[in-house]
Amino acid sequence: MSDAVPPDLQYLSGFGNHFESEALPGSLPKGQNNPRVAPYGLYAEQLSGTAFTAPRRENKRAWLYRIRPSVTHEPFHPLDFPVESLTGEFDRGVITPNQLRWRPFAIPSDSVDFVRGLTTVCGAGSAGKKDGFAIHVYTASISMDNSCLANADGDMLIVPQQGTLRVTTEFGLLDVAPGEICVIQRGMRFSVGLQDTDAARGYVLEVFCGHFELPDLGPIGSNGLADARHFQTPVAWFEDRSCHYLVMQKYEGELFSAAQSFSPFNVVAWHGNYTPYKYDLGKFCPMNSVAFDHPDPSIFTVLTCPSAIPGKLELVVTECCLTML
């Protein structure tokens, strides 16, 4: 099966919608999710973002139709390079009540990709207990070559500060420039490439519990802040390529790897409401006071991650900062 030609990237618009996309005509099964024989001899797999029995309004899943099964790999082993700078457990971390700030992290002079350039700055809770969050900084000088990452700990919101990223996912391709954000949800394989640059730096917000949502607008009304139509999900794209490929898995803050003989980005068609997506912060419609006083920073909320307590949020992603509530 020949590779799909990378498009002048196209996207599907909406937030939390049930999308469908196919890179080859007729590759998406009609009328059922898991036929005995899928079109083109593809393998059907479901990726779940919630429990199967979660209420319909909260249920998240996607069906992917791929050339080879995702489980066709060697056993996972701990990575053979050090990752002491990355953590998902904060019960044993250094605690301080002081305000902290840091200088920009230096761009590596040697060959460092997105995964090797991840450094945890702060956080709370535990990836193993699926509670809390982590904030990382990434620096990179090269693209991820024949390697990808899947995060079993939580969703990752990537905020480029320098350098445009080409994010390859099982669902398709995303170009993410400074001034934009993208979200790779739990369990999705992705690879980060550098677009026309040898220097990239930015932030990663990782949430261990739940998924990002749009905030309720309350008295603001039906318009304002981040509009659902401005969020973009990639269209299906695939490569049918034999090679030595390294699949990395983040699990309870630690990294593991497994080798396989083909690219994992071999999903020819997919449908569902559990997808990666990106958002251009320049399209945010801010609200502000026009008479006196200063509103709370929650008025600039782009995305939020609710906790189990109504009205109490794990995190608020604002247009200009991350706020922990």
Side-chain angles (χ1 to χ4, degrees), residues 13-323:
S13 297
F15 186 89
N17 299 15
H18 189 109
F19 298 107
E20 62 177 41
S21 183
E22 57 183 14
L24 295 179
S27 55
L28 189 66
K30 305 300 182 185
Q32 60 185 137
N33 294 321
N34 191 11
R36 289 184 62 187
V37 179
Y40 294 91
L42 300 172
Y43 293 87
E45 296 181 352
Q46 178 173 277
L47 177 63
S48 296
T50 57
F52 298 139
T53 53
R56 181 179 287 257
R57 66 182 180 277
E58 301 171 7
N59 207 295
K60 295 181 180 295
R61 61 93 166 95
W63 279 92
L64 295 84
Y65 303 92
R66 57 198 324 144
I67 298 169
R68 297 183 66 175
S70 60
V71 295
T72 312
H73 56 72
E74 297 178 3
F76 279 96
H77 301 283
L79 274 182
D80 58 359
F81 59 84
V83 286
E84 291 89 352
S85 61
L86 190 66
T87 185
E89 300 296 326
F90 297 95
D91 296 341
R92 301 178 298 275
V94 176
I95 299 174
T96 176
N98 294 316
Q99 297 178 355
L100 300 175
R101 63 178 180 177
W102 54 92
R103 297 183 184 278
F105 282 48
I107 303 295
S109 57
D110 52 347
S111 297
V112 175
D113 63 18
F114 175 84
V115 174
R116 289 166 173 78
L118 279 173
T119 299
T120 304
V121 176
C122 61
S126 165
K129 297 175 182 177
K130 291 294 181 283
D131 180 48
F133 66 92
I135 296 176
H136 317 284
V137 168
Y138 72 85
T139 55
S141 58
I142 60 171
S143 300
M144 293 175 65
D145 182 31
N146 285 341
S147 63
C148 69
L149 174 67
N151 185 6
D153 291 339
D155 293 3
M156 301 183 84
L157 184 149
I158 302 173
V159 187
Q161 178 267 322
Q162 177 181 340
T164 297
L165 306 179
R166 165 66 61 88
V167 182
T168 303
T169 76
E170 295 167 293
F171 295 79
L173 305 172
L174 291 161
D175 279 349
V176 189
E180 297 180 317
I181 60 175
C182 81
V183 173
I184 309 296
Q185 304 199 71
R186 180 185 290 118
M188 298 177 180
R189 294 177 176 179
F190 70 101
S191 182
V192 177
L194 277 54
Q195 286 285 87
D196 303 320
T197 182
D198 58 359
R201 179 173 54 207
Y203 300 91
V204 177
L205 168 61
E206 181 182 9
V207 292
F208 304 141
C209 178
H211 301 287
F212 290 106
E213 300 177 4
L214 288 174
D216 292 329
L217 294 179
I220 292 175
S222 59
N223 300 290
L225 306 186
D227 196 320
R229 69 191 293 255
H230 293 147
F231 287 81
Q232 296 180 306
T233 292
V235 298
W237 173 87
F238 73 96
E239 57 181 8
D240 185 6
R241 183 165 61 91
S242 296
C243 58
H244 178 76
Y245 208 96
L246 190 69
V247 176
M248 290 176 281
Q249 183 88 13
K250 184 173 176 292
Y251 186 74
E252 296 193 14
E254 298 186 19
L255 293 177
F256 301 84
S257 65
Q260 62 184 47
S261 59
F262 60 94
S263 168
F265 303 118
N266 60 359
V267 176
V268 182
W270 60 266
H271 75 86
N273 64 349
Y274 191 55
T275 67
Y277 55 88
K278 76 168 194 170
Y279 177 73
D280 182 352
L281 293 170
K283 295 181 179 179
F284 184 80
C285 181
M287 303 291 166
N288 207 343
S289 58
V290 294
F292 62 92
D293 218 336
H294 191 285
D296 293 324
S298 54
I299 197 68
F300 300 110
T301 298
V302 178
L303 293 170
T304 181
C305 186
S307 72
I309 303 174
K312 182 180 183 298
L313 308 176
E314 290 281 351
L315 281 162
V316 170
V317 182
T318 68
E319 186 186 17
C320 56
C321 65
L322 304 176
T323 305

